[in-house]
Amino acid sequence: MNGSPIASGAPASPPSPEPPVVATEHLVVRSRERVILNDVSLAFPDRDVTAIIGPSGCGKTTFIRTLNRMTEIGSGLMVRGRVLYRGQDIYARGVNPVIVRQRIGMVFQRPVVFPMSIFENVAFGLRINRVDEATVERTVESCLRRAGLWTEIGDDLDRSGLTLSGGQQQRLCIARALAVEPRVLLMDEPTASLDPVAAQKVESLLFELRQNYAVIIVTHNLQQAARVATRTAFLYEGRMIEFDETKRLFESPREKLTENYVTGRFG
Amino acid sequence: MREVPEGQPIPPAGPAPAPPAVPFSASRTPLVQWLLSPIALIPLLLVAFVAIFLLWKSQLVWFGPSFFGINYFFDPTGLQPNQFGVTLFVVDSLIVALPALAIAAGLSLAMAVSIVVYLPPMPGRVLTILTNLLAGIPSVVYGIWGYVVLAPYFGSTVQPAIFGFLGWIPGLGGPLSPGGVGSLLAIFILIFMIVPITTAVMRESLRSVPHDLVEAGLALGATQWEVMRRIRLRVARRGLWGAAFLGLGRAIGESVAVAMVIGASVWIPPNVYAPSTTLASFIFYQLDSSFYYPVLLQALIEFSLVLLGLAVLLNLIGQRASGLGTTVVVTGGNGP
Amino acid sequence: MTAALATDAAAVDDLVRASAGHMRRRLLLDRVARYGLLLPFVVVFFPLIDLLYWISETALPTFTWATLTQDQIGNGGGLHAMIIGTAVLIALATTIATLIGIAAGLYTAEYAPPAIARLGRTAGNVLAGVPAIVLGFWGYFLLVIYTGWGYTVLGGALTLSILMVPFIYRTSDLAFSAVPASQREAALAMGARRYQFLGRIALPIAIPGILTGVILAMAIGLGETAPLIYTAGWANVPLTGLFSPTSYLTGAIWLFYSQPPDIGLYALAFQAAFVLIVMVVAINVTLQAVAEHYRRRLRGLFS
């Protein structure tokens, strides 16, 4: 237990070449009935993929949603502690969640495609920002390319987005999130509702995205975490148990709980 | 629960009891249930009965010579040929109902958006209950309020004001109606009668937009207003139109309150200030005299059929579009 | 590491000061919508308050005990006959409509073949949209002329009940359909007959929902004028039986509203409106309380 990151005040982070772009400090999230997250301090480096793992109900989805203030929407959750984006507390007075969410994008577990054409789906975030038409077209194309969709559907952008397959829909959602030019991309189990082939495509996309974005991915799939993430955090019952480089966390965890979890004894 | 003695195996099941499948009539429907099914069709039978009875009664004149014309001429002495053009009344009804609906729909949409999107649950619920209270006020009370309080005020202040600002719009030009009674007042009164139903249906339509879509929009950094305009309105579009049709049906069918404030001139009014009439209000205040003039009575029966047809049509369109019935008013206030 | 978290000046500028002009406009528009959309509530409720205030103000100064206990005589008198008439009409109509509505709703939810159920539900909504004046006209022909009854309380109540049926029917249907399947399975697993299940378990669960429909139907029935004028007729004295004509509060408003303000009948119209609103509110509050009582017993059944 010695040197457990829970005990230390500073946000825990394994050595990283880049300064953290998002960090939490003593984050406590509670509903009216119970504490969902208890004193979680984590720091996420820029241009890299970080995974958050843990058994169902450990609070990982709530955690990732607090990172761009999605918890505020009709959930009645109370957030204490600080969430820092480049050092600025996003829950501070005067910070508007709308701006936070433009910098910190999110992709959900089930693909949520708007009932519009593929083009308009990707252009959504641009339209609300009154971007001129030429830029919209250019950005839609580049985002679809980055999401690996351009070669598949680039010639048929007026189709309803709802006609795409599940995997394509999820990549469309990623393209749509990229179009707003976020620094950080939060992904809440992005492959959980996809078939293995589609999931594989999304995963390989993550390797591309890490060049330019800080990606934080919540997953219950340990192999996925091992494949895509440079660092992994293990959450259990609302507490951050261990945060380390993925390889070390899986191969020589410091905590007994982590070991039990990654070796499949529970969860 | 059957008692099973300790240590004994549960006795083998006898003849299998009827499966407690959730709907009893899932697969095969017993004959008896088909025979009893008119119980469920009582409303349908009632509507059909009303329609058939009126049709039967109307056979004498049966859409007389100029029924679909725009003429109205009634000579109580019966010496001259009578003419009853239903078109006149339908046009007059629409002149009153459409503006009332347009304003009511706008107000309702704003209130529904406020309650669903912006207001916290508690004030939202209180405002919902208050909106339903509007529906509970008898239409004849709106009528007397309109006739006694609003009419003089409309004549002295509202009409000149609207004329002054918007008089250049066709239909809003003079001459004014000094007493205040007329289409404009009827429109104003109708708004209060339409608002509860359109608000309730619009509220439920907006509420039924999947939360996923809203969240995804917000996660892209859109404001609530942008999500509202670009996603919620688009998804709920059908339901919102449905609300409008239900409201229009309500506006066309209202008789007493309109009869009290519209001034009962049978013509196509030159502007919204002038006294006018509607199909429903005409039937209502002419019933009395029709007892003495069989030709008028026959005309009124036919008018009723047209009114019934219009109301049923608007209602069916409204329900089909919104997927919600009129009963949404009932459940709206008490839902979660 | 902590040093790296030192506030990035660019980030503060970015998140707090919303630098871009367009962003400021977007946020402003959202705020304008948030507060601006409250305006329609004022537009709608201010006149409502004015209406209620004005009715009370006009009705109350001359409102005495006699207003409730006297019959209308000549140019004055009270609302005695009309209150009795309204009460009897609404009681009869509610009884008829509730019996028919619950039976039809129960049948639709529990027994009807799906096609019939669908048809019944659509027809219920359609009937709710049939203009009252059309029903009144029809009632006049059928219940006044064709039956040879003349103007009667019964004819008025029957016409009124047709107007009220669809609301009770649709809410009963919804309420019975909403009885959790687990309750049904548990009851049937104990060997209960279907009618036992319906009577002992489903009905108590459905009662709050049904009552909501009854409340709405009664509010609508109380407020109707058009279907009564030509079926229940008018009488200055209290009704003597089911087949006598009667007066009622909404009729008083319709008949007296255009009288000159200086005679008693004019005030009577407002007093009728006042009593009517009080009745609507009283029925609402009472039945809501009953519904709430049943609902409380069911707490925890619906998650």
Side-chain angles (χ1 to χ4, degrees):
Chain A
M1 276 290 176
N2 220 1
S4 160
I6 308 169
S8 83
S13 177
S16 146
E18 299 255 6
V21 63
V22 171
T24 64
E25 285 180 354
H26 304 294
L27 184 69
V28 177
V29 178
R30 45 188 311 160
S31 68
R32 213 171 290 165
E33 292 88 29
R34 64 192 190 92
V35 177
I36 297 169
L37 289 172
N38 196 354
D39 197 23
V40 177
S41 299
L42 280 171
F44 301 93
D46 207 354
R47 296 171 210 283
D48 211 342
V49 178
T50 310
I52 296 166
I53 59 169
S56 324
C58 71
K60 46 189 199 299
T61 292
T62 305
F63 175 74
I64 200 170
R65 288 169 64 90
T66 52
L67 296 188
N68 70 343
R69 295 184 63 169
M70 291 299 285
T71 30
E72 283 170 27
I73 305 164
S75 66
L77 296 181
M78 281 165 284
V79 177
R80 289 262 182 72
R82 302 209 299 167
V83 177
L84 303 169
Y85 167 75
R86 294 165 69 200
Q88 166 65 37
D89 184 1
I90 65 169
Y91 285 89
R93 224 171 218 292
V95 174
N96 195 299
V98 168
I99 304 167
V100 170
R101 292 180 197 130
Q102 289 203 344
R103 304 289 176 268
I104 307 178
M106 188 163 203
V107 174
F108 299 88
Q109 178 169 351
R110 286 192 306 123
V112 186
V113 171
F114 298 143
M116 327 169 174
S117 69
I118 294 166
F119 185 91
E120 286 304 323
N121 258 283
V122 183
F124 183 90
L126 304 168
R127 296 254 187 256
I128 56 179
N129 283 302
R130 292 253 180 88
V131 177
D132 65 277
E133 197 56 38
T135 317
V136 169
E137 275 177 28
R138 211 159 0 111
T139 315
V140 168
E141 179 179 338
S142 85
C143 290
L144 284 172
R145 275 189 200 287
R146 273 183 280 168
L149 269 177
W150 185 257
T151 49
E152 289 171 47
I153 55 170
D155 52 348
D156 203 6
L157 297 182
D158 290 333
R159 244 165 78 194
S160 162
L162 295 164
T163 59
L164 299 174
S165 72
Q168 287 175 324
Q169 287 194 6
Q170 191 61 299
R171 281 181 289 147
L172 178 63
C173 292
I174 294 172
R176 191 177 61 192
L178 295 181
V180 198
E181 294 179 7
R183 268 296 279 271
V184 183
L185 210 52
L186 309 175
M187 296 188 159
D188 185 5
E189 310 238 20
T191 60
S193 65
L194 305 182
D195 62 84
V197 178
Q200 205 274 321
K201 281 191 175 163
V202 171
E203 257 183 42
S204 57
L205 186 56
L206 289 175
F207 288 103
E208 307 279 325
L209 294 175
R210 71 193 299 168
Q211 315 288 327
N212 294 303
Y213 304 94
V215 178
I216 303 171
I217 177 171
V218 158
T219 181
H220 65 267
N221 180 335
L222 299 179
Q223 288 71 36
Q224 184 175 60
R227 281 192 301 268
V228 302
T230 314
R231 289 167 194 77
T232 298
F234 172 53
L235 255 61
Y236 182 71
E237 292 186 343
R239 305 174 76 86
M240 206 276 287
I241 304 300
E242 190 165 350
F243 185 31
D244 212 331
E245 283 179 16
T246 305
K247 207 166 147 57
R248 266 187 72 177
L249 188 105
F250 279 95
E251 284 168 9
S252 51
R254 273 177 295 208
E255 304 288 331
K256 190 75 191 154
L257 263 172
T258 316
E259 190 186 329
N260 287 346
Y261 184 69
V262 298
T263 53
R265 285 197 199 126
F266 71 94
Chain B
M1 230 166 272
R2 231 174 338 165
E3 292 284 331
V4 178
E6 195 84 26
Q8 281 192 10
I10 296 168
V22 178
F24 283 105
S25 50
S27 51
R28 245 165 16 97
T29 309
L31 186 64
V32 186
Q33 278 176 34
W34 280 104
L35 289 178
L36 284 176
S37 53
I39 299 177
L41 295 182
I42 285 171
L44 182 65
L45 299 175
L46 288 173
V47 176
F49 188 35
V50 171
I52 290 168
F53 197 86
L54 289 175
L55 267 175
W56 173 57
K57 278 286 170 190
S58 74
Q59 63 190 347
L60 278 182
V61 178
W62 190 232
F63 294 167
S66 55
F67 186 73
F68 292 107
I70 206 147
N71 306 313
Y72 171 79
F73 175 76
F74 177 59
D75 175 26
T77 62
L79 297 174
Q80 312 241 7
N82 291 301
Q83 290 186 314
F84 300 95
V86 77
T87 314
L88 171 86
F89 296 98
V90 173
V91 170
D92 281 358
S93 295
L94 291 177
I95 288 175
V96 173
L98 286 177
L101 174 70
I103 298 168
L107 291 171
S108 296
L109 187 58
M111 298 200 289
V113 168
S114 233
I115 290 175
V116 174
V117 179
Y118 286 114
L119 286 170
M122 206 46 215
R125 193 165 303 180
V126 170
L127 287 172
T128 301
I129 291 170
L130 279 178
T131 323
N132 288 350
L133 179 70
L134 280 180
I137 292 187
S139 59
V140 65
V141 172
Y142 285 120
I144 190 173
W145 178 56
Y147 181 78
V148 178
V149 179
L150 296 179
Y153 181 64
F154 265 57
S156 67
T157 313
V158 177
Q159 288 188 6
I162 293 181
F163 176 72
F165 286 110
L166 304 169
W168 47 273
I169 298 175
L172 296 181
L176 303 180
S177 152
V181 294
S183 304
L184 189 66
L185 188 52
I187 290 168
F188 188 80
I189 297 289
L190 274 179
I191 290 170
F192 292 92
M193 286 180 246
I194 309 172
V195 155
I197 182 159
T198 43
T199 307
V201 177
M202 286 180 172
R203 200 180 53 224
E204 296 312 305
S205 304
L206 288 177
R207 217 167 248 163
S208 66
V209 173
H211 195 62
D212 283 2
L213 290 175
V214 175
E215 275 203 334
L218 293 173
L220 286 170
T223 60
Q224 283 280 12
W225 174 248
E226 287 155 353
V227 170
M228 170 73 226
R229 233 171 53 97
R230 288 167 188 273
I231 299 176
R232 275 194 158 115
L233 284 190
R234 182 187 288 257
V235 176
R237 198 175 38 202
R238 272 168 57 88
L240 300 175
W241 278 107
F245 277 100
L246 289 173
L248 189 58
R250 181 72 47 110
I252 294 235
E254 178 53 44
S255 56
V256 185
V258 173
M260 288 165 89
V261 299
I262 201 164
S265 306
V266 183
W267 61 338
I268 304 257
N271 56 38
V272 291
Y273 313 113
S276 174
T277 189
T278 67
L279 200 50
S281 67
F282 184 77
I283 297 169
F284 179 65
Y285 58 69
Q286 288 296 313
L287 255 178
D288 250 345
S289 23
S290 74
F291 301 153
Y292 311 104
Y293 305 111
V295 188
L296 180 59
L297 183 62
Q298 291 308 325
L300 290 190
I301 298 174
E302 293 171 4
F303 289 176
S304 310
L305 274 169
V306 173
L307 184 59
L308 179 66
L310 263 177
V312 167
L313 187 72
L314 291 171
N315 246 274
L316 279 175
I317 295 174
Q319 280 168 44
R320 185 58 54 85
S322 64
L324 303 158
T326 325
T327 38
V328 72
V329 183
V330 188
T331 43
N334 308 294
Chain C
M1 210 181 323
T2 322
L5 282 176
T7 305
D8 179 340
V12 180
D13 196 54
D14 202 15
L15 289 182
V16 179
R17 286 186 209 111
S19 40
H22 180 60
M23 174 59 88
R24 208 171 300 147
R25 270 216 305 283
R26 287 178 53 205
L27 296 178
L28 183 69
L29 187 62
D30 188 51
R31 188 156 307 176
V32 168
R34 174 185 299 268
Y35 297 106
L37 291 179
L38 293 175
L39 196 66
F41 288 105
V42 181
V43 174
V44 170
F45 291 121
F46 178 72
L48 176 72
I49 292 165
D50 177 66
L51 165 68
L52 294 176
Y53 172 76
W54 169 79
I55 292 274
S56 326
E57 188 197 47
T58 322
L60 290 183
T62 52
F63 201 97
T64 59
W65 190 242
T67 313
L68 297 177
T69 55
Q70 270 185 9
D71 288 337
Q72 181 233 321
I73 312 149
N75 277 338
L79 301 165
H80 183 235
M82 296 150 211
I83 293 171
I84 292 181
T86 292
V88 171
L89 281 169
I90 199 70
L92 270 177
T94 307
T95 312
I96 299 166
T98 305
L99 289 177
I100 297 177
I102 292 182
L106 179 65
Y107 187 85
T108 306
E110 289 288 332
Y111 296 93
I116 300 276
R118 210 172 312 127
L119 197 58
R121 286 172 184 144
T122 308
N125 292 336
V126 167
L127 184 59
V130 171
I133 177 69
V134 174
L135 287 178
F137 205 13
W138 167 82
Y140 169 73
F141 280 119
L142 185 70
L143 301 170
V144 176
I145 307 288
Y146 191 77
T147 54
W149 293 348
Y151 296 121
T152 59
V153 177
L154 187 61
L158 283 171
T159 312
L160 213 50
S161 70
I162 289 173
L163 204 96
M164 295 161 64
V165 158
F167 297 93
I168 301 176
Y169 163 63
R170 290 296 286 121
T171 42
S172 308
D173 173 24
L174 285 173
F176 281 116
S177 300
V179 174
S182 54
Q183 293 281 323
R184 176 195 312 272
E185 280 158 14
L188 296 182
M190 289 195 300
R193 301 275 172 135
R194 198 199 292 189
Y195 69 86
Q196 291 170 323
F197 159 71
L198 289 175
R200 304 243 175 126
I201 295 173
L203 188 63
I205 294 176
I207 275 182
I210 296 172
L211 275 176
T212 323
V214 174
I215 293 169
L216 186 82
M218 287 181 82
I220 285 171
L222 275 173
E224 278 303 343
T225 320
L228 291 178
I229 297 263
Y230 299 105
T231 52
W234 192 256
N236 285 352
V237 290
L239 56 114
T240 51
L242 283 183
F243 289 93
S244 77
T246 184
S247 50
Y248 35 88
L249 291 164
T250 48
I253 304 173
W254 163 248
L255 288 176
F256 305 148
Y257 82 102
S258 53
Q259 297 286 332
D262 51 340
I263 68 166
L265 288 182
Y266 179 82
L268 221 49
F270 294 91
Q271 285 158 351
F274 182 79
V275 174
L276 201 55
I277 293 175
V278 170
M279 279 173 93
V280 172
V281 171
I283 286 179
N284 235 293
V285 170
T286 316
L287 290 188
Q288 289 283 14
V290 177
E292 192 52 41
H293 168 77
Y294 277 96
R295 217 169 267 145
R296 199 165 298 138
R297 297 202 334 207
L298 299 172
R299 192 161 289 166
L301 188 60
F302 301 98
S303 55

